Every structure is written in C-alpha cells, then in structure tokens.
Amino acid sequence: MIYHQFNIIKKTGLTSAVKDDDARKVMIVNSFSFLTALLCTFCGVSLSLISGQWIILYTAMAFVAGFLSILLLNRKHHYAMAKFGLLFVYCCVMLYYGTTFGESTQVHFLGLFLIGVPLLICSPKERGLKCACMAMPLTGLILLEANYYYQVVQPMELTRSMTFAFRWLIMAVVVVLNGMVISFYQVNIASLVKTLGIRNRSLRKRHEEIAGKEAELKLAYKELESYNEKLEREVENRTAQLNANYKVQGEILKDLQHTLAQMKRKDLQLEEYVAELETLRANLTTARDEAENANAAKSAFLREISHEIRNPLNAIIGISYLLLNDKSNKGKVPRDIVSYIENIYTSSHSLLEIINNVLELAKIEAGKTDDIRQESFALRDWLRSVVTIYQNAARLKDVGLQLQIDNGLPSHILGDRVHLSQILNNLLANAIKFTPANKKVTLYCFKKNALQWCIRVADEGVGIAKEKQGLIFQPFEQADKTIYHKFGGTGLGLAISKRIAELMGGEIEVWSQPGEGTAFTVTLPLKIEKNQQLQEIVPGKKQFSVLPSSKRILLMEDNQTNQMIMERFFSNIGIQIMIADNGQDGVAMTRAHMPDLIIMDMHMPKLTGREALKIIREDPALRHIPVIAISADAFREQQEAALEAGVNEYLIKPVEFDRLYEVVDKYLDAPCFVTAERMVAKVS
Ligand code: ADP
C-alpha cells in the first residue's frame, strides 16, 4: 500500500511523451524530494525536541515545503527547473545546518553527497544544468568552509551531548541519502546492464542476421561474380562482334560513299547528257521541221512535176494509141513507122509507171497512206485492158504475153482498181523486161479459195538468185547491179507493190530459178458486192463498139492536143463532141446545149473545173448532167476533193481509153438517175 502510494508520488509529472531515460531521472528527482522531505521532517522534529529550539522545526518545515515544491514543479512538467530546485534546496539545507550547528556536526558531508546527485538526475544533453547543479554544492561547501574559518555566522551554542547527537543524526541522514544515491546508481546500472543485455542480444541477433545476410551476400556475390564473368565474356564477344560489324559497316560505308560519289558523278554526267539530249532534241525538232518542210516542198514539187509530165504524156500515149488503133490508118502507115509508134507507146507507159512509183514513194515518205477503196469493177475487163497495154511492149521484144483467167472467179470484185493496176503494171513490166526474145510471160488470175484470189505473173526470163530474193522487195534494191546497166529501172516497183498488197490485206511472194524464170504471186482477199447485177463484158471484145450518135458530149479542155485526141477518140466511137476552151464557155455551152455528159479538165482558164462544176451543180436545170473529170492531178486527195465537189468520175491523165469508154458508156446509159440521186444527197 505504502509502496503503491510511494510509486504514485514517484511518478508525479510523468506523461507518455517523456522518454524512458528522462522518466527515470524525473522519478529519481521525485523520490529524492519526497524522501528528503520525510527525513527533513523527522530531523526537524528530532532536533527541535533534542535542542528545545523550535526554530529548527520551523526552518525544517520550510525546507520540507521547498522539497515538496519540487514535486509540484515536476507535476507542472518543469523538469529542468525541478532538478535545479532540488540541488538549490539541498544546498540551502547544507548551508543552514552547517552554519547553525557548526563544523562539529559534519553537515558538509552532505555536500559530498550532493556532488554525485546531478550525475544521476541530468541527462548527457543537459550539460549546462549538470555543471550548474554540481557547482552549487561545491560553492556551498566553499562558503561553509569559509564561514568555519572566518566565523562570519556564529553557530548555535550546543552542549557536548547535543553536538554528538546532532552529528550522528546528520551522519545518518547523509548515509541514508548516500545510500539512496548508491541504490539509484545501482538501479541505473542494473537497468543499464539489462538494456545492455537486451542490446547485446539484439546485437548478437543482428550479428547473426548480418552473418546470414553476409553468407547470402557472399553467395549472391559469387553468383554476381559468375554472372559478371559471363557478362564480361558476352560483352567481350559482343564487342568483338561489334568490332567486326563495325569493320564491315565501315567497309560498307566506304563502298556507299564511293558509290555515292560515283552516283554524283553519274548524276552530273546524266545532267550533261540531258542537256546534250535537250540540245539534240531541239536540233532534231529543227531538223524534223526542216525535213517536213523539205518533204512538203518535195511533195508539192512532185505534184507539180507529175501534173506537168502527165499532160504531155497524155498527148504522147493518146496520139500513139490513136495512131495504132485508127482503122482509117490501117495498111497506110509503113511497118517501121508502126513499130516506132509502138515503141513510143510502150516507152511512154514505162515512163508513166516510173512517175506513178515515184509519186507513191513520195507519199510513203511523207507518211501518207492512201485509203484502199472498195469499188466493184469488172475483173476480166480490167485484166485485159492492162495486158493490152503491155502487148505492144512484149511484141517489140518478141516476147509472148498470155492471159489466163480462172473461170471460177466472179465477173466483178470489190477492190482498188488503181492500186491493183499499179501492182500488175510493175510485175508485167519487170517480167517483159527480164525475159529474152522467143520466151513468154503469162498472167494468171485464179481463185485460191473461197476467201482469196491470186494474180500471178510468170516469166521464162533470167531469174533471181536465191540470196537476192529477199532483198528485191526493199526500195532501191536490184538483184544485180549489172541489171541496172542492162535494163535500167529504179528498184522501187516491187517495194511499192508489196506495200500496196499488204495495205489491201494481201501479200506478194516470189518464186524464181536463175535461168529458168520467175513467178510473182499476189494473194488478195476476195470480196464481192452483194446482189451484184452487173453485166460482164464479153471476153474477147477488143474494139470499142459505136455509141449512139444522138448523144451529146461536151468537152471542157484548154489543151488543144488533148482536145484533138478526145475528138478523134469519140469520132472513132461515133460521137461528135462539143468543145469549150475554158470553164466559162463550158458553162455557157452547157446551158445552151444541155449535153448528156460533160468531160472536164480541172485546170482551165477563166473558170477552173471546180468553179464551173459548182455553177453546174447549183443550177437545178443542169445539176443532173453527169460530169467526168480528166486531170493530171494524180494525188488521192485531189481526186477525193473533186468527187466531193460533185464530179461523177475522176480519171487521171494519161487517159486509159478502155476506162474512158467504160465510164462514158455507163453514164450515157443511165446518166440522169445516177446524177440526180447523187445531187439530191449532196444538196440536202
Ligand atoms: P526495177 O525498177 O529495178 O525493176 P523493181 O523493184 O521492180 O525495180 O525490181 C527490183 C529488182 O528485182 C530488179 O532490179 C530485178 O533485179 C529483180 N526482178 C524483178 N522482177 C524480176 C523478174 N521478173 N525476173 C528477174 N528479176 C526480176
């Protein structure tokens, strides 16, 4: 119970916030204060009773109050002040009793006890407080000794037995207090030892843990080392690889740089090439323009030349034809003169062929290709008329010329008569040219199958060497240069014939045996006009039959030779034609005489053929009259322009009389029907 109460007093002023060590010091202060207050009370009472001096009791009570106020200070949590206060009250007690009872009572021993107290109650942090608390009892001791020596305060008059009793009482108090100090030290030491033990155990545990951790660490370290070694090896390998790669990359980089430099050089070169090309292209464009201009000029020139040659050629061929075929001359002209005329006729045909070929080549070079016409024409008639032309040439060379036509062929076929004539002329002219006297040339015309027909010109001439057979179809190529010296020629005929055949959807082939002969076969698609009602001209009819003399034909032609030729031709077939020297007269005569047919030259003075035609076609009274144009303009576009303008037929000079007869016959038979229909279409 008492112990419990003491414990409560001992813990005065403690809170949970106060640390263990500080709490212990507060409890020591409380214990010292309380126990000393008790001792002080006991001593005060005892000494008062012994001495009979009640002042001792009163002062003792004041000291007791001082000790209890220490408890109060702790209760108020003024711990430092309480510590200082405790030492202060002790010092006061020591000074009071020391001076009051004198040196023989041994009160100064209390000072020795007090020097040890601050060590117990002050923590190492409270160094200043500790010093002050230790300085106080020392100062008290010094003051006390000084007082003993100098006798400043006179001690109480005590008897010998009282002094003896006082000394023993005070000594007992000092012993008790020292015992308390020692016991507190002991407790402190014990708690320190205990703490140390705990610390030691925990340290040992820590040490063990550390040792365990150390072992683990060692293991980990070992693993780390091996891993490190592995890593180092890998790093070495990688470094080696990287070095190798770096080396390779360096080489690649070098290569790339080299290539880049090359590319840059190439780029520069390319730029130079491009610049050169640009210049070249500009030059080429200029050259092309110049070439095109030159070509156009050449074409215009050829057109002019062709036109200029055809007019006199028309006269030569026409006159020689008329001379050869005029019945009234028969027997009157000497044989050698006839032969000269035949020569003139044949040569002028050769000349015509050359002109035709040169014109065709000019067209090819100018990039113009004629459209292939699909017109119905009498096949046998056409073949015979061509053969007739070459009969003279063959006769002059004593070469036989035969025509064999397959009976299976239709009377009329669809095709381009002009272009076909060009091929046939070339082949026949060559065959006759390369065939010696007393040999023969045969023209076969036959049906190959339901879709194709063929023209074959076979001769018994010199033949062509195998190796030359592929070359002869190229322009300006001849099988043998000696041929040129012997036979002449341009080397154009076969090239042009091949091209025309291909344009028609056909082909041309050659077979030849040197010394035996040559055969050229043209294969063409067979096209027939549906519901064809046209009459075939009876084979063998060579002479033109007389046409009805009542028919009126007006010829508009400024060239007098041509007028004469036409007049003779028509008088031979029973018609007296009217002639106008220019377009203007031609229109006037048309109005005056209303002819059944007009034959018109396209180049005339005063009114050109085109202008005259316009007037006729625009006049309702005249527009039905069929008009046949005869012109030296051999170009396809010129023909087409004339047909567009309203001519019914277009014949090219030199005129083929067979063809002229054919168309005249056709339009005199049914002129109005054909013309009227065409014109209705045109005017609308
Ligand atoms: P050319 O105007 O020279 O006759 P072509 O193109 O018509 O030109 O003929 C080319 C060459 O083919 C001739 O020069 C000739 O060497 C050869 N040739 C053509 N037809 C015959 C043939 N029937 N017999 C022998 N050689 C021929």
Side-chain angles (χ1 to χ4, degrees), residues 430-431 433-434 459 462-464 472 477-480 483 488-495 518 520:
N430 278 344
K433 189 160 74 175
F434 295 111
D459 64 51
V462 291
I464 308 164
I472 53 173
E477 282 293 340
Q478 293 183 316
D480 190 343
I483 284 171
T490 57
L492 287 175
L494 286 178
T518 307
F520 285 95

mmCIF file of all heavy atoms in Angstrom, residues 430-431 433-434 459 462-464 472 477-480 483 488-495 518 520, ligand 1:
data_model
loop_
_atom_site.group_PDB
_atom_site.id
_atom_site.type_symbol
_atom_site.label_atom_id
_atom_site.label_comp_id
_atom_site.label_asym_id
_atom_site.label_seq_id
_atom_site.Cartn_x
_atom_site.Cartn_y
_atom_site.Cartn_z
ATOM 1 N N ASN A 430 8.303 -5.711 -165.329
ATOM 2 C CA ASN A 430 9.521 -6.448 -164.958
ATOM 3 C C ASN A 430 9.641 -7.742 -165.749
ATOM 4 O O ASN A 430 10.710 -8.080 -166.266
ATOM 5 C CB ASN A 430 9.505 -6.790 -163.465
ATOM 6 C CG ASN A 430 9.974 -5.629 -162.613
ATOM 7 O OD1 ASN A 430 10.576 -4.694 -163.126
ATOM 8 N ND2 ASN A 430 9.680 -5.697 -161.327
ATOM 9 N N ALA A 431 8.520 -8.495 -165.821
ATOM 10 C CA ALA A 431 8.544 -9.802 -166.493
ATOM 11 C C ALA A 431 8.984 -9.641 -167.952
ATOM 12 O O ALA A 431 9.838 -10.393 -168.445
ATOM 13 C CB ALA A 431 7.162 -10.443 -166.405
ATOM 14 N N LYS A 433 10.589 -7.124 -169.176
ATOM 15 C CA LYS A 433 11.950 -6.575 -169.204
ATOM 16 C C LYS A 433 13.003 -7.676 -169.054
ATOM 17 O O LYS A 433 14.013 -7.681 -169.756
ATOM 18 C CB LYS A 433 12.077 -5.559 -168.062
ATOM 19 C CG LYS A 433 13.329 -4.746 -168.072
ATOM 20 C CD LYS A 433 13.177 -3.464 -167.257
ATOM 21 C CE LYS A 433 13.174 -3.717 -165.768
ATOM 22 N NZ LYS A 433 13.134 -2.474 -164.993
ATOM 23 N N PHE A 434 12.749 -8.644 -168.124
ATOM 24 C CA PHE A 434 13.766 -9.652 -167.827
ATOM 25 C C PHE A 434 13.598 -10.950 -168.619
ATOM 26 O O PHE A 434 14.239 -11.941 -168.304
ATOM 27 C CB PHE A 434 13.779 -9.948 -166.323
ATOM 28 C CG PHE A 434 14.210 -8.768 -165.510
ATOM 29 C CD1 PHE A 434 13.327 -8.077 -164.691
ATOM 30 C CD2 PHE A 434 15.538 -8.319 -165.585
ATOM 31 C CE1 PHE A 434 13.730 -6.989 -163.964
ATOM 32 C CE2 PHE A 434 15.940 -7.219 -164.852
ATOM 33 C CZ PHE A 434 15.039 -6.546 -164.048
ATOM 34 N N ASP A 459 7.307 -15.670 -165.741
ATOM 35 C CA ASP A 459 8.072 -15.453 -166.981
ATOM 36 C C ASP A 459 9.107 -16.542 -167.152
ATOM 37 O O ASP A 459 9.314 -17.362 -166.245
ATOM 38 C CB ASP A 459 8.711 -14.056 -166.967
ATOM 39 C CG ASP A 459 9.736 -13.881 -165.865
ATOM 40 O OD1 ASP A 459 10.638 -14.716 -165.741
ATOM 41 O OD2 ASP A 459 9.612 -12.892 -165.075
ATOM 42 N N VAL A 462 15.498 -14.368 -166.886
ATOM 43 C CA VAL A 462 16.820 -14.661 -166.299
ATOM 44 C C VAL A 462 16.735 -15.252 -164.891
ATOM 45 O O VAL A 462 17.650 -15.956 -164.450
ATOM 46 C CB VAL A 462 17.686 -13.382 -166.267
ATOM 47 C CG1 VAL A 462 18.081 -12.957 -167.663
ATOM 48 C CG2 VAL A 462 16.971 -12.243 -165.536
ATOM 49 N N GLY A 463 15.647 -14.969 -164.209
ATOM 50 C CA GLY A 463 15.503 -15.484 -162.830
ATOM 51 C C GLY A 463 16.287 -14.635 -161.823
ATOM 52 O O GLY A 463 17.047 -13.741 -162.205
ATOM 53 N N ILE A 464 16.080 -14.966 -160.552
ATOM 54 C CA ILE A 464 16.748 -14.191 -159.484
ATOM 55 C C ILE A 464 17.455 -15.169 -158.553
ATOM 56 O O ILE A 464 16.874 -16.188 -158.152
ATOM 57 C CB ILE A 464 15.717 -13.376 -158.661
ATOM 58 C CG1 ILE A 464 14.818 -12.541 -159.582
ATOM 59 C CG2 ILE A 464 16.388 -12.468 -157.642
ATOM 60 C CD1 ILE A 464 13.570 -12.020 -158.928
ATOM 61 N N ILE A 472 14.925 -7.923 -153.000
ATOM 62 C CA ILE A 472 14.311 -7.171 -154.101
ATOM 63 C C ILE A 472 13.049 -6.409 -153.699
ATOM 64 O O ILE A 472 12.630 -5.515 -154.414
ATOM 65 C CB ILE A 472 13.976 -8.108 -155.301
ATOM 66 C CG1 ILE A 472 13.129 -9.291 -154.812
ATOM 67 C CG2 ILE A 472 15.243 -8.563 -155.984
ATOM 68 C CD1 ILE A 472 12.624 -10.156 -155.943
ATOM 69 N N GLU A 477 16.402 -1.430 -154.332
ATOM 70 C CA GLU A 477 17.246 -2.632 -154.385
ATOM 71 C C GLU A 477 17.034 -3.345 -155.709
ATOM 72 O O GLU A 477 15.900 -3.549 -156.143
ATOM 73 C CB GLU A 477 16.887 -3.586 -153.228
ATOM 74 C CG GLU A 477 17.452 -3.184 -151.888
ATOM 75 C CD GLU A 477 18.967 -3.278 -151.805
ATOM 76 O OE1 GLU A 477 19.567 -3.989 -152.633
ATOM 77 O OE2 GLU A 477 19.543 -2.606 -150.931
ATOM 78 N N GLN A 478 18.145 -3.746 -156.306
ATOM 79 C CA GLN A 478 18.062 -4.544 -157.527
ATOM 80 C C GLN A 478 18.887 -5.802 -157.293
ATOM 81 O O GLN A 478 19.877 -5.775 -156.555
ATOM 82 C CB GLN A 478 18.598 -3.750 -158.715
ATOM 83 C CG GLN A 478 17.694 -2.556 -159.024
ATOM 84 C CD GLN A 478 18.140 -1.778 -160.230
ATOM 85 O OE1 GLN A 478 19.320 -1.502 -160.396
ATOM 86 N NE2 GLN A 478 17.186 -1.416 -161.071
ATOM 87 N N ALA A 479 18.452 -6.901 -157.902
ATOM 88 C CA ALA A 479 19.114 -8.183 -157.644
ATOM 89 C C ALA A 479 20.577 -8.133 -158.072
ATOM 90 O O ALA A 479 21.433 -8.723 -157.439
ATOM 91 C CB ALA A 479 18.375 -9.299 -158.365
ATOM 92 N N ASP A 480 20.842 -7.420 -159.101
ATOM 93 C CA ASP A 480 22.184 -7.425 -159.651
ATOM 94 C C ASP A 480 22.450 -6.040 -160.241
ATOM 95 O O ASP A 480 21.611 -5.508 -160.976
ATOM 96 C CB ASP A 480 22.243 -8.505 -160.755
ATOM 97 C CG ASP A 480 23.668 -8.742 -161.208
ATOM 98 O OD1 ASP A 480 24.524 -7.878 -160.918
ATOM 99 O OD2 ASP A 480 23.890 -9.782 -161.850
ATOM 100 N N ILE A 483 22.135 -5.406 -163.781
ATOM 101 C CA ILE A 483 20.775 -5.288 -164.321
ATOM 102 C C ILE A 483 20.469 -3.845 -164.664
ATOM 103 O O ILE A 483 19.878 -3.524 -165.684
ATOM 104 C CB ILE A 483 19.758 -5.844 -163.294
ATOM 105 C CG1 ILE A 483 19.820 -7.364 -163.322
ATOM 106 C CG2 ILE A 483 18.330 -5.366 -163.577
ATOM 107 C CD1 ILE A 483 19.052 -8.021 -162.227
ATOM 108 N N GLY A 488 18.042 -0.920 -166.858
ATOM 109 C CA GLY A 488 17.572 0.316 -166.227
ATOM 110 C C GLY A 488 16.687 0.010 -165.035
ATOM 111 O O GLY A 488 16.809 -1.056 -164.420
ATOM 112 N N GLY A 489 15.794 0.909 -164.681
ATOM 113 C CA GLY A 489 14.870 0.700 -163.545
ATOM 114 C C GLY A 489 15.290 1.488 -162.320
ATOM 115 O O GLY A 489 16.416 1.969 -162.231
ATOM 116 N N THR A 490 14.343 1.599 -161.409
ATOM 117 C CA THR A 490 14.579 2.419 -160.203
ATOM 118 C C THR A 490 14.737 1.583 -158.935
ATOM 119 O O THR A 490 15.166 2.076 -157.902
ATOM 120 C CB THR A 490 13.374 3.353 -159.968
ATOM 121 O OG1 THR A 490 12.200 2.537 -159.861
ATOM 122 C CG2 THR A 490 13.219 4.350 -161.083
ATOM 123 N N GLY A 491 14.333 0.332 -158.998
ATOM 124 C CA GLY A 491 14.377 -0.502 -157.784
ATOM 125 C C GLY A 491 13.226 -0.195 -156.836
ATOM 126 O O GLY A 491 13.267 -0.566 -155.661
ATOM 127 N N LEU A 492 12.191 0.453 -157.334
ATOM 128 C CA LEU A 492 11.071 0.850 -156.469
ATOM 129 C C LEU A 492 9.846 -0.044 -156.639
ATOM 130 O O LEU A 492 9.064 -0.229 -155.707
ATOM 131 C CB LEU A 492 10.631 2.287 -156.788
ATOM 132 C CG LEU A 492 11.552 3.403 -156.336
ATOM 133 C CD1 LEU A 492 11.029 4.740 -156.834
ATOM 134 C CD2 LEU A 492 11.626 3.417 -154.819
ATOM 135 N N GLY A 493 9.660 -0.553 -157.846
ATOM 136 C CA GLY A 493 8.413 -1.221 -158.222
ATOM 137 C C GLY A 493 7.971 -2.298 -157.249
ATOM 138 O O GLY A 493 6.821 -2.283 -156.780
ATOM 139 N N LEU A 494 8.888 -3.217 -156.897
ATOM 140 C CA LEU A 494 8.467 -4.340 -156.048
ATOM 141 C C LEU A 494 8.183 -3.882 -154.617
ATOM 142 O O LEU A 494 7.240 -4.380 -153.980
ATOM 143 C CB LEU A 494 9.534 -5.433 -156.051
ATOM 144 C CG LEU A 494 9.607 -6.265 -157.338
ATOM 145 C CD1 LEU A 494 10.738 -7.288 -157.244
ATOM 146 C CD2 LEU A 494 8.293 -6.987 -157.602
ATOM 147 N N ALA A 495 9.014 -2.957 -154.146
ATOM 148 C CA ALA A 495 8.796 -2.451 -152.786
ATOM 149 C C ALA A 495 7.402 -1.838 -152.682
ATOM 150 O O ALA A 495 6.650 -2.108 -151.721
ATOM 151 C CB ALA A 495 9.860 -1.419 -152.433
ATOM 152 N N THR A 518 10.873 -16.643 -163.438
ATOM 153 C CA THR A 518 10.432 -16.080 -162.155
ATOM 154 C C THR A 518 8.908 -16.024 -162.139
ATOM 155 O O THR A 518 8.294 -15.841 -163.196
ATOM 156 C CB THR A 518 10.989 -14.647 -162.009
ATOM 157 O OG1 THR A 518 12.400 -14.692 -162.207
ATOM 158 C CG2 THR A 518 10.687 -14.053 -160.650
ATOM 159 N N PHE A 520 5.872 -14.126 -159.759
ATOM 160 C CA PHE A 520 5.424 -13.337 -158.603
ATOM 161 C C PHE A 520 3.942 -13.615 -158.399
ATOM 162 O O PHE A 520 3.163 -13.542 -159.355
ATOM 163 C CB PHE A 520 5.624 -11.837 -158.856
ATOM 164 C CG PHE A 520 7.061 -11.410 -158.749
ATOM 165 C CD1 PHE A 520 7.864 -11.336 -159.889
ATOM 166 C CD2 PHE A 520 7.621 -11.103 -157.523
ATOM 167 C CE1 PHE A 520 9.183 -10.951 -159.793
ATOM 168 C CE2 PHE A 520 8.955 -10.705 -157.427
ATOM 169 C CZ PHE A 520 9.740 -10.634 -158.563
HETATM 170 P P1 ADP B 1 13.264 -2.118 -161.108
HETATM 171 O O1 ADP B 1 12.761 -0.770 -161.399
HETATM 172 O O2 ADP B 1 14.731 -2.159 -160.957
HETATM 173 O O3 ADP B 1 12.693 -3.178 -161.928
HETATM 174 P P2 ADP B 1 11.794 -3.474 -159.056
HETATM 175 O O4 ADP B 1 11.588 -3.189 -157.620
HETATM 176 O O5 ADP B 1 10.606 -3.625 -159.869
HETATM 177 O O6 ADP B 1 12.755 -2.346 -159.601
HETATM 178 O O7 ADP B 1 12.650 -4.787 -159.130
HETATM 179 C C1 ADP B 1 13.747 -4.939 -158.288
HETATM 180 C C2 ADP B 1 14.707 -5.948 -158.840
HETATM 181 O O8 ADP B 1 14.134 -7.257 -158.790
HETATM 182 C C3 ADP B 1 15.022 -5.753 -160.266
HETATM 183 O O9 ADP B 1 16.051 -4.805 -160.467
HETATM 184 C C4 ADP B 1 15.473 -7.145 -160.658
HETATM 185 O O10 ADP B 1 16.840 -7.328 -160.273
HETATM 186 C C5 ADP B 1 14.597 -8.044 -159.865
HETATM 187 N N1 ADP B 1 13.423 -8.528 -160.632
HETATM 188 C C6 ADP B 1 12.172 -8.062 -160.540
HETATM 189 N N2 ADP B 1 11.348 -8.760 -161.353
HETATM 190 C C7 ADP B 1 12.120 -9.699 -161.965
HETATM 191 C C8 ADP B 1 11.845 -10.719 -162.911
HETATM 192 N N3 ADP B 1 10.638 -10.957 -163.394
HETATM 193 N N4 ADP B 1 12.888 -11.500 -163.329
HETATM 194 C C9 ADP B 1 14.121 -11.287 -162.822
HETATM 195 N N5 ADP B 1 14.444 -10.323 -161.923
HETATM 196 C C10 ADP B 1 13.451 -9.533 -161.524
#
